[in-house]
Amino acid sequence: MKRTTKRHNRHAEQQSLDRLTRGLYRVAAILGVVILVLGTTIVIDQWAEIMALGESLSSSPTTQPGPTAVTAQALPNPAPSPVPITPPPCQPPQDWVTYQVQEGNTLYSLAKDHGTDVEVLQRVNCLDDDVILVGQELYVPPPAGTEARATEPSLPPEDAGPIPWDRYTNIILLGTDKKADRVGWRTDTMIVVSVDAEQNLVYLLSIPRDLWVEIPGHGPDRINTADFWGEAASPGGGPELVRRTLQENLGIPVDYFVRIDFQGFVSVVDAIGGVEIDVDCALPDIGLESGIHMMDGKQALRYARSRMDTSDFDRSRRQREILMALWEKGKSMDVIPKLPALWRAMASSFETDLSLGQVLSLAYNGIQLSPDRILTEAIGPGQVYDWVTPLGAEVLLPRDGEIEALLKDFYSSPDTSSEDAARPAKVQVLNGSWLSEAEQLASHDLRRAGFRIAGTGLADSQDYPQTQILFYGVDASIAQRVVKTLKLPSSVLRYQHDPSSAVDFRIVLGADYDPCAAP
């Protein structure tokens, strides 16, 4: 079903609003929300003045098409609305959704189904009377049976205190460019893997390699030199200096390390038969288009290291993607029984202070995880400054307060209730755009977020300008999780009453879907 143009009509002949007027309505809405949060009573006359000003700016009137009118029956209003504060005119509360009027709907039936009043529906949708039209889009509260979001202002979160590091087993993954014929080398990849066995969660935190820190016993330098300086001071001392550097600069304790060079990485990927990577962003420098790609070790290494057209932060994201792909491949190939043989065969490809027994235990627990129990984060642009050293090196200076806040937020016990609620939800994803394999990229992201994929394919057309997400009776908070996962605005959501639907969500991706968009 093509998405129809959003209409806020006062009656069947109401003039359409132009862009400037809609912008004014949005400003009015923001002011209204601020007033509601502060608990201030809304003065209706002030809203009327704003709306009158908006109407005076309207221009280029057009006539609405004339679908069949559906007149509300003269029935008493349903029970009073659960909405504690009367919403401002012509502006829906934040948690309301759009609903397309079906044959047989009346304002009374919609009010009853959605637990509100006819008067509230009229006020929010700018309706002067009880006439609604088949195919018309109206704002309604979330589906009956779900809880609307709290309208009271939320209190600022309390300081969670220090991170309970004793709850985590922290492993630092070090990917180096070390070669036998080179004296100097650097750590190309630094990822802290934190295992929370109590909560059954795994955290992946990327450390930017150009972070300028104080390396104990050496002085200020890039964090990716700590391993080298430790080895230069004492053979085998690199991981210990990395531990001290992370602890003293970022407050992150490290229990174990795994170090692997480029050839070792290639060997590991090849040993498991390659990995399937979701390439969200094309990389022209290595001739890689967006889509789903099966990569061998060398291709995966190029994908992990490329930054000619991107940045070190994006490279960190791709490195975490490869870790996820390795995990998924290991899960699909029943890797646990094969680990001892792989361990012996690959012993020369990596270094670690983990024993085979510890690796088997961690791997067994990891294989049991669902994708949404693996959380990822990075120290990114918001936590660093660009800086040029006196010798001309371009580095990143840490913003200590921002890094501390990011770590506390990341390692705090997450509320996984939305993930748990999303797990039973079934989603169909159709590609209505010309982006190749867009439905596969979207479905992979949704699966990792905990949703069940009930089918993918092409839509009836590849000319959808905007994405359409129809949802059928599930909690509105779960619908919000879908749009957040796909990095789309909430305006693409459409509630459709269909108890017989075999899926909870039907998604048609349009030209606005961009897997490469920033979260």
Side-chain angles (χ1 to χ4, degrees):
M1 180 182 67
K2 299 279 186 176
R3 181 183 175 188
T4 58
T5 304
K6 192 172 295 182
R7 298 185 301 241
H8 303 288
N9 45 319
R10 292 181 175 279
H11 47 71
E13 296 82 22
Q14 181 183 355
Q15 300 175 346
S16 63
L17 299 173
D18 62 13
R19 183 177 302 171
L20 181 59
T21 306
R22 289 196 299 269
L24 187 59
Y25 288 171
R26 293 190 186 102
V27 173
I30 293 170
L31 291 174
V33 171
V34 171
I35 293 171
L36 288 173
V37 170
L38 295 176
T40 305
T41 302
I42 297 176
V43 182
I44 303 301
D45 290 342
Q46 293 175 343
W47 279 103
E49 293 173 5
I50 294 174
M51 299 307 295
L53 177 58
E55 291 179 9
S56 68
L57 294 172
S58 298
S59 60
S60 304
T62 58
T63 303
Q64 297 284 359
T68 305
V70 182
T71 306
Q73 301 173 14
L75 296 174
N77 276 336
S81 169
V83 180
I85 302 174
T86 301
C90 305
Q91 188 63 46
Q94 287 185 333
D95 61 338
W96 283 33
V97 296
T98 53
Y99 174 83
Q100 192 170 61
V101 176
Q102 308 294 307
E103 189 73 41
N105 286 154
T106 65
L107 273 186
Y108 171 79
S109 68
L110 291 179
K112 183 177 181 181
D113 289 346
H114 293 274
T116 187
D117 300 320
V118 169
E119 289 81 3
V120 172
L121 288 179
Q122 289 175 320
R123 178 179 177 80
V124 167
N125 291 282
C126 294
L127 301 175
D128 284 338
D129 51 37
D130 56 9
V131 174
I132 56 176
L133 311 171
V134 173
Q136 180 180 349
E137 289 187 351
L138 297 176
Y139 286 115
V140 296
T146 65
E147 294 184 2
R149 297 175 186 171
T151 56
E152 301 83 5
S154 57
L155 297 175
E158 296 181 2
D159 187 353
I163 299 171
W165 289 116
D166 57 348
R167 200 173 75 199
Y168 302 95
T169 298
N170 290 336
I171 305 164
I172 181 69
L173 302 185
L174 304 172
T176 76
D177 58 5
K178 187 177 183 180
K179 295 181 180 179
D181 58 348
R182 287 178 58 183
V183 176
W185 46 273
R186 298 290 181 265
T187 303
D188 198 63
T189 301
M190 298 184 74
I191 299 177
V192 179
V193 180
S194 301
V195 180
D196 183 351
E198 180 183 330
Q199 300 290 330
N200 204 28
L201 292 165
V202 172
Y203 301 77
L204 304 180
L205 175 70
S206 293
I207 311 293
R209 65 179 194 165
D210 291 332
L211 194 67
W212 192 256
V213 296
E214 184 74 21
I215 297 178
H218 172 68
D221 208 336
R222 289 185 174 96
I223 198 168
N224 71 338
T225 65
D227 194 18
F228 167 76
W229 289 119
E231 293 291 334
S234 174
E240 179 57 33
L241 189 56
V242 172
R243 283 188 176 102
R244 292 181 58 194
T245 301
L246 287 171
Q247 176 74 67
E248 295 182 18
N249 288 272
L250 302 178
I252 301 175
V254 173
D255 302 298
Y256 303 99
F257 81 93
V258 176
R259 180 203 282 155
I260 189 168
D261 60 22
F262 293 160
Q263 186 53 50
F265 172 81
V266 170
S267 299
V268 168
V269 173
D270 287 342
I272 63 172
V275 290
E276 188 177 82
I277 303 293
D278 299 354
V279 179
D280 293 332
C281 306
L283 295 173
D285 59 311
I286 60 174
L288 199 62
E289 297 296 328
S290 64
I292 311 299
H293 294 265
M294 190 68 188
M295 299 185 187
D296 61 19
K298 288 184 179 180
Q299 292 168 327
L301 180 62
R302 293 177 66 201
Y303 179 70
R305 299 202 70 209
S306 171
R307 66 170 183 172
M308 182 176 295
D309 297 311
T310 58
S311 67
D312 195 43
F313 301 116
D314 185 65
R315 182 163 67 166
S316 294
R317 175 188 62 81
R318 283 180 268 123
Q319 291 166 354
R320 295 193 303 276
E321 282 182 356
I322 290 176
L323 280 183
M324 289 291 296
L326 286 167
W327 170 79
E328 289 175 341
K329 185 60 178 286
K331 191 169 183 176
S332 69
M333 64 183 290
D334 192 20
V335 76
I336 300 297
K338 304 172 185 175
L339 268 178
L342 284 172
W343 179 275
R344 290 189 294 271
M346 306 299 298
S348 62
S349 299
F350 64 91
E351 300 171 71
T352 182
D353 54 354
L354 287 162
S355 68
L356 175 57
Q358 289 172 314
V359 171
L360 285 169
S361 177
L362 289 169
Y364 177 78
N365 291 331
I367 292 299
Q368 312 306 312
L369 295 175
S370 58
D372 54 298
R373 308 297 291 185
I374 302 177
L375 312 177
T376 66
E377 188 54 272
I379 295 176
Q383 291 78 45
V384 296
Y385 296 102
D386 292 323
W387 185 61
V388 178
T389 70
L391 295 180
E394 296 180 356
V395 299
L396 302 172
L397 287 181
R399 301 172 183 252
D400 294 334
E402 283 77 4
I403 290 178
E404 181 181 5
L406 178 138
L407 295 180
K408 282 187 175 182
D409 181 65
F410 183 50
Y411 287 103
S412 63
S413 295
D415 179 8
T416 59
S417 58
S418 60
E419 288 89 341
D420 294 337
R423 198 163 290 123
K426 294 191 292 185
V427 184
Q428 181 187 47
V429 185
L430 303 176
N431 188 1
S433 76
W434 290 103
L435 179 63
S436 177
E437 297 184 321
E439 74 280 11
Q440 297 297 329
L441 292 172
S443 64
H444 284 200
D445 287 340
L446 289 165
R447 186 179 291 110
R448 287 179 178 175
F451 293 92
R452 293 169 57 196
I453 304 303
T456 61
L458 295 177
D460 57 342
S461 167
Q462 273 58 66
D463 294 323
Y464 281 76
Q466 289 183 308
T467 298
Q468 297 181 5
I469 301 180
L470 296 179
F471 67 106
Y472 308 92
V474 297
D475 192 297
S477 65
I478 305 303
Q480 291 295 331
R481 182 168 172 77
V482 170
V483 295
K484 181 179 179 182
T485 299
L486 298 181
K487 296 171 284 192
L488 290 166
S490 298
S491 59
V492 303
L493 286 172
R494 295 288 182 273
Y495 171 62
Q496 188 77 50
H497 181 69
D498 185 1
S500 64
S501 175
V503 296
D504 300 296
F505 292 90
R506 179 168 285 108
I507 300 173
V508 179
L509 300 171
D512 59 337
Y513 171 63
D514 180 9
C516 193

